[in-house]
Amino acid sequence: MINVFVMAFQVFLAFVGVYQFVLALFGIYRKKAKRRHEPKKSFAVLVAAHNEEQVVGALIENLQKLDYPKELYDIFVICDNCTDGTADIARSYGVHACVRNNSTLRGKGYAIEWMLKELWSMPRQYDAVVMFDADNLCNSDFLHLMNDDLCEGHQVIQGYLDTKNPNDSWVTAAYGITYWYCNRLWQLSRRNLKMANFLGGTGMCFESKLLKEMGWGATSLVEDLEFTMRCIQRGVHPVLNYDAKVYDEKPVSFRASARQRLRWMQGHFNVARHYFLPLLWASIKERSFVKFDAALYSISVYNTFIGFLMTFMLWGDNLIPADNVFGSIYEYMPWWVAGVAITASVIMFPLALILENVRNWRMYAHLLTLPFFLLSWWPITFYAFFTQNNKQWSHTQHTRVIRLEEVQSKQG
């Protein structure tokens, strides 16, 4: 009976792998630029900050130089439980410093929820809300591109998430490669197929009317994924704007990276528990492929967890000098199937670098260290499964002061 479950899990994981590979093929083609619109929409630009005095100034300077009419957007820095000079720096730049002190409800999701309530009570109301993290930078046309999508009728928009510091270490290089892969072969493929995209926590734009109707309500450790699922449940499909570039600072050390990813996986387990079954049932009842895709994505954390267990069991079974207890699906397939599966997995990341026109040879060299980063997801997810009830938000410290010109020059 146990072997039956082991085989069933292998078949399911194989289905997920083939499913994602087929979807990825639709990201190879990039459609032509969309129709441009005159600046029309007004924006409240929110910057989530917790003790970010070292980096928030660079982002504010960046936002103040955006190629968009200055009278159509205002900048609000959410100084969430700060004990440093974040608020003073924000005021020195002439933007709104919104100070929040709540030692009980800690985390970005709670800070956003509080800020939106403050925003709705202000005399000036905005057509849309844009959210950034304090360590970010964005291209000068970001708001113009958000304006274009809003004018086309989209209500939730995700910008292209890039890495601000991919050259800092093998860890940041791994982040950069996986982000390029996800943008092109996960996000763009779904945009091309007119499916729902997934929010990435920053570089997000929301129509104010929708936010007022829905409320934020996303206070888990992965508030972006939680709000994505809430949108899809309502039939609202977030879309990717491939040209709206946002640059995010990534942890340099493996230890800091593991801590950040542990938080993501703990939150992802929570979202999977709450949204998988409702979305799966809705996809069957409504015959909605988009909701089926969202349901499948919501349990991707369980796929990683089960994949780790299956690999551990099968390899352990093979190493023990006795007859194998567990069967492998590859025993029932032609030998070349395994070769095709391995080849398909290996080529996807270099393909993403080529499609994204990455010209830094160091990134191609880091394809050799990338497997260590990818394999580290297994023990991190395994530990997250047993600590998923942890709701304590952990702050990722940011220290690199990088200007947009430096990021763009290194990319060029």
Side-chain angles (χ1 to χ4, degrees):
M1 181 60 70
I2 294 176
N3 200 40
V4 171
F5 282 110
V6 170
M7 294 293 288
F9 282 133
Q10 291 180 66
V11 170
F12 174 72
L13 293 176
F15 162 75
V16 172
V18 172
Y19 172 82
Q20 180 50 47
F21 178 78
V22 173
L23 280 186
L25 297 178
F26 290 90
I28 294 175
Y29 172 67
R30 182 182 171 189
K31 296 181 180 180
K32 294 181 180 179
K34 301 179 292 295
R35 186 162 63 98
R36 302 305 302 266
H37 294 265
E38 290 297 317
K40 176 183 176 182
K41 303 294 184 178
S42 59
F43 296 92
V45 180
L46 308 187
V47 177
H50 171 70
N51 290 343
E52 300 284 11
E53 65 179 4
Q54 295 190 58
V55 295
V56 71
L59 174 60
I60 295 172
E61 288 179 16
N62 175 215
L63 294 175
Q64 290 178 330
K65 296 176 182 177
L66 293 180
D67 183 19
Y68 200 75
K70 298 299 180 284
E71 67 274 11
L72 287 180
Y73 73 97
D74 290 317
I75 302 168
F76 300 84
V77 178
I78 312 171
C79 307
D80 182 40
N81 290 299
C82 291
T83 56
D84 65 355
T86 299
D88 293 332
I89 291 174
R91 294 188 190 100
S92 71
Y93 280 94
V95 302
H96 301 277
C98 304
V99 178
R100 173 183 182 264
N101 291 300
N102 190 320
S103 59
T104 304
L105 302 177
R106 299 177 62 87
K108 182 179 170 184
Y110 290 111
I112 291 172
E113 191 165 58
W114 172 84
M115 184 67 236
L116 289 176
K117 291 177 181 178
E118 296 290 308
L119 196 63
W120 305 148
S121 65
M122 293 179 183
R124 182 179 183 183
Q125 295 296 292
Y126 303 87
D127 296 315
V129 175
V130 170
M131 298 182 190
F132 291 105
D133 289 337
D135 60 293
N136 295 162
L137 297 170
C138 68
N139 281 359
S140 60
D141 59 353
F142 187 88
L143 287 185
H144 210 135
L145 292 166
M146 294 297 108
N147 175 78
D148 293 341
D149 273 341
L150 289 167
C151 290
E152 291 291 328
H154 297 296
Q155 296 175 289
V156 181
I157 308 148
Q158 173 62 58
Y160 181 111
L161 293 183
D162 208 338
T163 308
K164 189 167 69 172
N165 57 329
N167 297 300
D168 282 358
S169 70
W170 73 274
V171 174
T172 60
Y175 273 109
I177 294 169
T178 52
Y179 268 48
W180 292 319
Y181 164 77
C182 290
N183 279 309
R184 188 65 184 243
L185 301 179
W186 278 66
Q187 292 280 55
L188 184 60
S189 57
R190 285 172 169 80
R191 175 72 196 249
N192 287 342
L193 291 169
K194 301 187 185 304
M195 298 166 64
N197 287 113
F198 304 110
L199 297 174
T202 189
M204 307 176 291
C205 178
F206 307 89
E207 183 188 63
S208 294
K209 181 181 177 182
L210 177 70
L211 278 179
K212 290 177 181 178
E213 290 175 358
M214 288 182 61
W216 180 245
T219 55
S220 70
L221 295 177
V222 283
E223 74 290 330
D224 48 355
L225 179 61
E226 185 178 2
F227 195 81
T228 300
M229 297 302 161
R230 292 188 62 217
C231 285
I232 295 173
Q233 277 187 326
R234 291 173 61 97
V236 176
H237 299 168
V239 298
L240 170 73
N241 191 307
Y242 186 86
D243 299 307
K245 294 287 185 73
V246 182
Y247 305 95
D248 187 35
E249 182 184 332
K250 292 305 175 188
V252 176
S253 71
F254 180 81
R255 183 176 182 179
S257 165
R259 186 166 56 247
Q260 182 187 64
R261 289 183 286 152
L262 175 62
R263 172 170 57 85
W264 291 347
M265 292 299 96
Q266 288 169 334
H268 203 142
F269 275 116
N270 183 267
V271 169
R273 291 201 313 269
H274 286 88
Y275 291 94
F276 170 65
L277 289 177
L279 280 168
L280 182 63
W281 173 244
S283 72
I284 297 170
K285 187 169 64 172
E286 302 170 21
R287 298 178 182 179
S288 170
F289 183 60
V290 171
K291 289 185 177 179
F292 172 78
D293 180 65
L296 201 60
Y297 182 76
S298 74
I299 59 162
S300 59
V301 65
Y302 279 99
N303 300 343
T304 304
F305 176 70
I306 294 171
F308 175 63
L309 294 180
M310 292 296 102
T311 303
F312 181 81
M313 291 168 61
L314 291 173
W315 276 95
D317 195 21
N318 284 324
L319 291 174
I320 295 173
D323 292 338
N324 288 349
V325 176
F326 305 115
S328 169
I329 58 173
Y330 290 109
E331 296 174 7
Y332 303 92
M333 296 181 181
W335 64 268
W336 54 265
V337 173
V340 170
I342 294 172
T343 303
S345 302
V346 168
I347 66 171
M348 298 309 285
F349 288 99
L351 175 63
L353 295 184
I354 294 169
L355 291 173
E356 294 299 88
N357 198 29
V358 176
R359 300 176 184 178
N360 186 341
W361 66 267
R362 290 186 180 87
M363 294 300 109
Y364 291 90
H366 276 298
L367 289 170
L368 298 176
T369 59
L370 178 65
F372 297 100
F373 182 82
L374 297 178
L375 288 173
S376 70
W377 282 100
W378 279 356
I380 289 171
T381 305
F382 183 78
Y383 184 68
F385 176 80
F386 295 100
T387 58
Q388 59 185 279
N389 290 325
N390 173 44
K391 302 297 191 296
Q392 185 176 357
W393 177 77
S394 60
H395 175 240
T396 301
Q397 188 175 11
H398 303 110
T399 58
R400 290 292 307 277
V401 180
I402 305 176
R403 297 300 194 274
L404 181 64
E405 296 77 13
E406 184 180 352
V407 175
Q408 292 175 330
S409 65
K410 287 183 178 180
Q411 286 193 335

PDB file of all heavy atoms in Angstrom, residues 118-133:
ATOM      1  N   GLU A 118      -5.290  54.580   6.379  1.00  0.00           N
ATOM      2  CA  GLU A 118      -4.877  55.980   6.470  1.00  0.00           C
ATOM      3  C   GLU A 118      -5.089  56.692   5.131  1.00  0.00           C
ATOM      4  O   GLU A 118      -5.541  57.835   5.086  1.00  0.00           O
ATOM      5  CB  GLU A 118      -3.398  56.056   6.867  1.00  0.00           C
ATOM      6  CG  GLU A 118      -3.075  55.511   8.246  1.00  0.00           C
ATOM      7  CD  GLU A 118      -3.629  56.399   9.350  1.00  0.00           C
ATOM      8  OE1 GLU A 118      -3.357  57.622   9.308  1.00  0.00           O
ATOM      9  OE2 GLU A 118      -4.326  55.870  10.240  1.00  0.00           O
ATOM     10  N   LEU A 119      -4.769  56.005   4.060  1.00  0.00           N
ATOM     11  CA  LEU A 119      -4.856  56.600   2.729  1.00  0.00           C
ATOM     12  C   LEU A 119      -6.289  56.914   2.347  1.00  0.00           C
ATOM     13  O   LEU A 119      -6.583  57.981   1.782  1.00  0.00           O
ATOM     14  CB  LEU A 119      -4.250  55.624   1.710  1.00  0.00           C
ATOM     15  CG  LEU A 119      -3.884  56.177   0.334  1.00  0.00           C
ATOM     16  CD1 LEU A 119      -2.796  57.233   0.438  1.00  0.00           C
ATOM     17  CD2 LEU A 119      -3.431  55.040  -0.587  1.00  0.00           C
ATOM     18  N   TRP A 120      -7.210  56.005   2.657  1.00  0.00           N
ATOM     19  CA  TRP A 120      -8.612  56.230   2.284  1.00  0.00           C
ATOM     20  C   TRP A 120      -9.227  57.397   3.058  1.00  0.00           C
ATOM     21  O   TRP A 120     -10.230  57.974   2.618  1.00  0.00           O
ATOM     22  CB  TRP A 120      -9.445  54.976   2.525  1.00  0.00           C
ATOM     23  CG  TRP A 120      -8.988  53.698   1.879  1.00  0.00           C
ATOM     24  CD1 TRP A 120      -9.146  52.445   2.378  1.00  0.00           C
ATOM     25  CD2 TRP A 120      -8.315  53.530   0.615  1.00  0.00           C
ATOM     26  NE1 TRP A 120      -8.617  51.512   1.529  1.00  0.00           N
ATOM     27  CE2 TRP A 120      -8.095  52.140   0.430  1.00  0.00           C
ATOM     28  CE3 TRP A 120      -7.858  54.417  -0.366  1.00  0.00           C
ATOM     29  CZ2 TRP A 120      -7.456  51.614  -0.687  1.00  0.00           C
ATOM     30  CZ3 TRP A 120      -7.209  53.891  -1.488  1.00  0.00           C
ATOM     31  CH2 TRP A 120      -7.019  52.525  -1.643  1.00  0.00           C
ATOM     32  N   SER A 121      -8.648  57.745   4.202  1.00  0.00           N
ATOM     33  CA  SER A 121      -9.205  58.838   5.008  1.00  0.00           C
ATOM     34  C   SER A 121      -8.620  60.201   4.642  1.00  0.00           C
ATOM     35  O   SER A 121      -9.031  61.220   5.197  1.00  0.00           O
ATOM     36  CB  SER A 121      -8.957  58.564   6.496  1.00  0.00           C
ATOM     37  OG  SER A 121      -7.565  58.588   6.795  1.00  0.00           O
ATOM     38  N   MET A 122      -7.674  60.233   3.723  1.00  0.00           N
ATOM     39  CA  MET A 122      -7.032  61.491   3.337  1.00  0.00           C
ATOM     40  C   MET A 122      -7.903  62.280   2.359  1.00  0.00           C
ATOM     41  O   MET A 122      -8.715  61.693   1.627  1.00  0.00           O
ATOM     42  CB  MET A 122      -5.663  61.205   2.709  1.00  0.00           C
ATOM     43  CG  MET A 122      -4.654  60.636   3.688  1.00  0.00           C
ATOM     44  SD  MET A 122      -3.056  60.294   2.911  1.00  0.00           S
ATOM     45  CE  MET A 122      -2.179  59.562   4.291  1.00  0.00           C
ATOM     46  N   PRO A 123      -7.741  63.604   2.323  1.00  0.00           N
ATOM     47  CA  PRO A 123      -8.549  64.431   1.423  1.00  0.00           C
ATOM     48  C   PRO A 123      -8.364  64.062  -0.051  1.00  0.00           C
ATOM     49  O   PRO A 123      -9.333  63.997  -0.800  1.00  0.00           O
ATOM     50  CB  PRO A 123      -8.051  65.859   1.689  1.00  0.00           C
ATOM     51  CG  PRO A 123      -7.448  65.791   3.052  1.00  0.00           C
ATOM     52  CD  PRO A 123      -6.876  64.420   3.187  1.00  0.00           C
ATOM     53  N   ARG A 124      -7.130  63.831  -0.453  1.00  0.00           N
ATOM     54  CA  ARG A 124      -6.882  63.469  -1.848  1.00  0.00           C
ATOM     55  C   ARG A 124      -7.010  61.955  -2.027  1.00  0.00           C
ATOM     56  O   ARG A 124      -6.475  61.182  -1.246  1.00  0.00           O
ATOM     57  CB  ARG A 124      -5.491  63.903  -2.297  1.00  0.00           C
ATOM     58  CG  ARG A 124      -5.237  63.568  -3.759  1.00  0.00           C
ATOM     59  CD  ARG A 124      -3.880  63.996  -4.263  1.00  0.00           C
ATOM     60  NE  ARG A 124      -3.754  63.710  -5.680  1.00  0.00           N
ATOM     61  CZ  ARG A 124      -2.653  63.927  -6.408  1.00  0.00           C
ATOM     62  NH1 ARG A 124      -1.583  64.454  -5.844  1.00  0.00           N
ATOM     63  NH2 ARG A 124      -2.629  63.629  -7.704  1.00  0.00           N
ATOM     64  N   GLN A 125      -7.738  61.564  -3.051  1.00  0.00           N
ATOM     65  CA  GLN A 125      -7.877  60.154  -3.390  1.00  0.00           C
ATOM     66  C   GLN A 125      -7.180  59.886  -4.724  1.00  0.00           C
ATOM     67  O   GLN A 125      -7.119  60.760  -5.593  1.00  0.00           O
ATOM     68  CB  GLN A 125      -9.354  59.755  -3.467  1.00  0.00           C
ATOM     69  CG  GLN A 125     -10.088  59.856  -2.128  1.00  0.00           C
ATOM     70  CD  GLN A 125      -9.529  58.887  -1.090  1.00  0.00           C
ATOM     71  OE1 GLN A 125      -9.663  57.679  -1.206  1.00  0.00           O
ATOM     72  NE2 GLN A 125      -8.887  59.444  -0.054  1.00  0.00           N
ATOM     73  N   TYR A 126      -6.682  58.665  -4.880  1.00  0.00           N
ATOM     74  CA  TYR A 126      -5.873  58.313  -6.043  1.00  0.00           C
ATOM     75  C   TYR A 126      -6.549  57.202  -6.843  1.00  0.00           C
ATOM     76  O   TYR A 126      -7.288  56.386  -6.296  1.00  0.00           O
ATOM     77  CB  TYR A 126      -4.481  57.861  -5.592  1.00  0.00           C
ATOM     78  CG  TYR A 126      -3.751  58.888  -4.765  1.00  0.00           C
ATOM     79  CD1 TYR A 126      -3.930  58.957  -3.381  1.00  0.00           C
ATOM     80  CD2 TYR A 126      -2.885  59.799  -5.359  1.00  0.00           C
ATOM     81  CE1 TYR A 126      -3.266  59.908  -2.615  1.00  0.00           C
ATOM     82  CE2 TYR A 126      -2.212  60.749  -4.600  1.00  0.00           C
ATOM     83  CZ  TYR A 126      -2.415  60.801  -3.230  1.00  0.00           C
ATOM     84  OH  TYR A 126      -1.752  61.745  -2.477  1.00  0.00           O
ATOM     85  N   ASP A 127      -6.240  57.178  -8.134  1.00  0.00           N
ATOM     86  CA  ASP A 127      -6.807  56.130  -8.988  1.00  0.00           C
ATOM     87  C   ASP A 127      -6.216  54.764  -8.689  1.00  0.00           C
ATOM     88  O   ASP A 127      -6.877  53.743  -8.873  1.00  0.00           O
ATOM     89  CB  ASP A 127      -6.560  56.463 -10.468  1.00  0.00           C
ATOM     90  CG  ASP A 127      -7.269  57.736 -10.901  1.00  0.00           C
ATOM     91  OD1 ASP A 127      -8.455  57.898 -10.551  1.00  0.00           O
ATOM     92  OD2 ASP A 127      -6.636  58.577 -11.576  1.00  0.00           O
ATOM     93  N   ALA A 128      -4.949  54.749  -8.272  1.00  0.00           N
ATOM     94  CA  ALA A 128      -4.276  53.475  -8.054  1.00  0.00           C
ATOM     95  C   ALA A 128      -3.231  53.606  -6.952  1.00  0.00           C
ATOM     96  O   ALA A 128      -2.808  54.714  -6.613  1.00  0.00           O
ATOM     97  CB  ALA A 128      -3.631  52.985  -9.349  1.00  0.00           C
ATOM     98  N   VAL A 129      -2.849  52.454  -6.435  1.00  0.00           N
ATOM     99  CA  VAL A 129      -1.819  52.368  -5.396  1.00  0.00           C
ATOM    100  C   VAL A 129      -0.691  51.493  -5.920  1.00  0.00           C
ATOM    101  O   VAL A 129      -0.931  50.386  -6.424  1.00  0.00           O
ATOM    102  CB  VAL A 129      -2.387  51.774  -4.095  1.00  0.00           C
ATOM    103  CG1 VAL A 129      -1.279  51.578  -3.066  1.00  0.00           C
ATOM    104  CG2 VAL A 129      -3.497  52.653  -3.534  1.00  0.00           C
ATOM    105  N   VAL A 130       0.535  51.990  -5.811  1.00  0.00           N
ATOM    106  CA  VAL A 130       1.725  51.237  -6.202  1.00  0.00           C
ATOM    107  C   VAL A 130       2.531  50.937  -4.947  1.00  0.00           C
ATOM    108  O   VAL A 130       2.641  51.782  -4.063  1.00  0.00           O
ATOM    109  CB  VAL A 130       2.577  52.033  -7.214  1.00  0.00           C
ATOM    110  CG1 VAL A 130       3.933  51.369  -7.429  1.00  0.00           C
ATOM    111  CG2 VAL A 130       1.844  52.157  -8.539  1.00  0.00           C
ATOM    112  N   MET A 131       3.078  49.738  -4.859  1.00  0.00           N
ATOM    113  CA  MET A 131       3.819  49.340  -3.664  1.00  0.00           C
ATOM    114  C   MET A 131       5.245  48.919  -4.015  1.00  0.00           C
ATOM    115  O   MET A 131       5.459  48.139  -4.950  1.00  0.00           O
ATOM    116  CB  MET A 131       3.112  48.174  -2.961  1.00  0.00           C
ATOM    117  CG  MET A 131       1.716  48.503  -2.465  1.00  0.00           C
ATOM    118  SD  MET A 131       0.964  47.102  -1.591  1.00  0.00           S
ATOM    119  CE  MET A 131      -0.732  47.716  -1.417  1.00  0.00           C
ATOM    120  N   PHE A 132       6.191  49.439  -3.231  1.00  0.00           N
ATOM    121  CA  PHE A 132       7.593  49.064  -3.338  1.00  0.00           C
ATOM    122  C   PHE A 132       8.125  48.706  -1.961  1.00  0.00           C
ATOM    123  O   PHE A 132       7.569  49.105  -0.939  1.00  0.00           O
ATOM    124  CB  PHE A 132       8.438  50.224  -3.894  1.00  0.00           C
ATOM    125  CG  PHE A 132       8.175  50.567  -5.330  1.00  0.00           C
ATOM    126  CD1 PHE A 132       7.446  51.707  -5.660  1.00  0.00           C
ATOM    127  CD2 PHE A 132       8.670  49.774  -6.351  1.00  0.00           C
ATOM    128  CE1 PHE A 132       7.217  52.038  -6.979  1.00  0.00           C
ATOM    129  CE2 PHE A 132       8.444  50.102  -7.677  1.00  0.00           C
ATOM    130  CZ  PHE A 132       7.719  51.233  -8.000  1.00  0.00           C
ATOM    131  N   ASP A 133       9.252  47.979  -1.950  1.00  0.00           N
ATOM    132  CA  ASP A 133      10.037  47.807  -0.730  1.00  0.00           C
ATOM    133  C   ASP A 133      11.131  48.863  -0.719  1.00  0.00           C
ATOM    134  O   ASP A 133      11.565  49.341  -1.778  1.00  0.00           O
ATOM    135  CB  ASP A 133      10.654  46.415  -0.670  1.00  0.00           C
ATOM    136  CG  ASP A 133       9.609  45.336  -0.410  1.00  0.00           C
ATOM    137  OD1 ASP A 133       8.537  45.669   0.133  1.00  0.00           O
ATOM    138  OD2 ASP A 133       9.870  44.169  -0.760  1.00  0.00           O
TER     139      ASP A 133
END
